[in-house]
Amino acid sequence: MTSGRVTIADVARRAGVSTAAVSKVVRGAYGVSAEMQTKVTQAIDELGYRPHAAARALRGRTYTLGVMLSDTRNPFFPDIIEGVTDRLGDTEYQVLLGPGGIEPKTQARMTDAMIDRSMDGLILISPVMTDAELTAIATATPVVVVGRHGGAAAYDAVVDDDVMGARLVVDHLVGLGHTRIAHITHLERARAQGLPHTVRAEGYRQAMRAHGLADDVLATSFTEVGGFEGARELLARGDRPTAIFAGADIAALGVLRAADEAGLSVPEDLSVAGYDNIGIASLKRISLTSVDQDGHVIGATAARLLVERIEGRTRSVTSSVSPTLIVRGTTGPPRPETLTASPLRPGPPRL
């Protein structure tokens, strides 16, 4: 066994071929005979040879893909990542994750770091950079953007049909008899256009108008605390809503906590619906009605499109996933007396 790191020369000596021949086999070049392929592959297996990523980059491929996450605490993102890795399971590609944070500058720094390390392509999940910044990144490396509506010629995009998803929730709640339906969305400070929560909120407004109802949108944050604080404000109103649609399940969990602290029964006094259908939503003690946008399919689609880009496709593709509504125990008909509800005192201060 060769001491130290196994080199391409070690493989060539073991296989009895030239280093150029080994290089051809490693990079999958055209014109390699079956006999040479067998010799080199056997030598690689025996020696445990691993091509150096930087050297592979010089030859045009490192077989590493970067996935930039905007929020590592978002419980929906693991579904997307699982879809990516499952799709690439039978390929040579390895996935490396990078936390980009929620600010454009930190996301740009992370994507630059991935490009500098010669990754073959990038999947950017809910980036808040501008379209011009995304296009600039896509000129340096193949890119698929997840969760940004609009798309661009320079990169591919995978999105959920957020307008449809919001309409599914509103139609469901109206069908139960609700007319005062509030929506909690995310307060966005970035310059980016086409972010999912903004499209989702617009879908809610459109659906409410279609039913002849007034919309009621409150912007906080897609966190448990954001949902809690937003719901406390909504429930303190004289004409408090009988249903709250949170634009993310994590915020819906905060709404449920606020309802509990206000002494309200769910769904008898207040119906609650979320978005993403995260794993905890199906737990019996939570049983959250939620929109399932199938993160696994989103991730698998993003991986497929990225490999196609790497292999030479130049025509841009935007793939839209159709959501479904999963009805559970947090939504039901409103009590007759809640249709003329009196003001509620805010719950106790959060410790």
Side-chain angles (χ1 to χ4, degrees):
M1 183 70 178
T2 306
S3 61
R5 183 180 178 88
V6 178
T7 68
I8 193 170
D10 296 327
V11 176
R13 281 193 294 271
R14 175 64 67 91
V17 300
S18 67
T19 56
V22 176
S23 178
K24 283 185 176 182
V25 172
V26 168
R27 70 175 189 268
Y30 177 76
V32 177
S33 68
E35 181 182 3
M36 183 179 294
Q37 177 81 32
T38 299
K39 285 181 179 180
V40 172
T41 301
Q42 183 175 345
I44 288 173
D45 291 342
E46 291 173 354
L47 295 175
Y49 172 66
R50 294 176 58 214
H52 192 275
R56 295 177 77 172
L58 292 174
R59 296 193 296 272
R61 194 77 64 90
T62 64
Y63 291 96
T64 57
L65 305 178
V67 177
M68 193 277 296
L69 304 171
S70 59
D71 183 359
T72 56
R73 296 170 299 178
N74 190 320
F76 174 62
F77 287 174
D79 292 342
I80 299 177
I81 296 167
E82 185 178 81
V84 171
T85 55
D86 284 353
R87 178 74 189 194
L88 300 172
D90 294 331
T91 72
E92 292 186 73
Y93 289 102
Q94 296 296 318
V95 176
L96 300 180
L97 305 180
I102 60 174
E103 298 295 335
K105 286 185 178 179
T106 58
Q107 291 188 3
R109 190 180 305 126
M110 175 55 66
T111 54
D112 286 345
M114 290 178 169
I115 293 171
D116 289 345
R117 285 157 178 78
S118 301
M119 294 188 181
D120 294 332
L122 305 179
I123 295 174
L124 309 180
I125 301 179
S126 294
V128 296
M129 293 170 281
T130 65
D131 290 341
E133 289 167 331
L134 289 175
T135 298
I137 294 168
T139 60
T141 190
V143 167
V144 175
V145 173
V146 172
R148 278 283 290 273
H149 294 264
Y155 55 83
D156 296 335
V158 184
V159 295
D160 170 60
D161 189 339
D162 290 298
V163 171
M164 174 189 289
R167 186 174 69 244
L168 290 173
V169 175
V170 172
D171 288 351
H172 168 64
L173 293 171
V174 171
L176 291 171
H178 294 276
T179 57
R180 293 201 305 277
I181 304 167
H183 177 57
I184 292 179
T185 188
H186 183 68
L187 179 62
E188 187 58 68
R189 295 183 299 272
R191 297 168 294 164
Q193 301 295 316
L195 292 171
H197 60 269
T198 60
V199 177
R200 211 166 286 168
E202 181 56 31
Y204 155 82
R205 293 186 180 96
Q206 292 178 12
M208 292 292 283
R209 286 197 297 269
H211 287 286
L213 301 174
D215 61 73
D216 184 5
V217 178
L218 179 67
T220 58
S221 66
F222 279 172
T223 62
E224 195 270 347
V225 172
F228 172 75
E229 293 178 346
R232 284 185 64 190
E233 179 177 335
L234 290 168
L235 297 177
R237 297 176 180 175
D239 58 344
R240 68 173 180 84
T242 61
I244 296 178
F245 163 35
D249 283 351
I250 189 67
L253 297 179
V255 175
L256 292 174
R257 179 161 72 93
D260 181 64
E261 292 191 8
L264 298 177
S265 296
V266 176
E268 292 81 7
D269 298 316
L270 179 72
S271 283
V272 180
Y275 210 106
D276 290 337
N277 195 33
I278 61 177
I280 196 174
S282 64
L283 295 182
K284 185 176 180 180
R285 293 179 66 86
I286 296 176
S287 189
L288 176 67
T289 292
S290 181
V291 176
D292 186 351
Q293 53 179 320
D294 204 333
H296 192 279
V297 168
I298 289 174
T301 303
R304 173 178 61 81
L305 293 177
L306 185 58
V307 171
E308 290 176 1
R309 274 276 184 179
I310 292 169
E311 293 179 348
R313 176 173 52 76
T314 57
R315 178 181 57 85
S316 65
V317 173
T318 295
S319 178
S320 181
V321 175
S322 296
T324 56
L325 181 66
I326 309 300
V327 178
R328 298 192 179 98
T330 57
T331 53
R335 293 187 195 273
E337 58 267 29
T338 63
L339 299 179
T340 56
S342 59
L344 287 179
R345 293 191 304 273
R350 182 172 175 268
L351 300 177

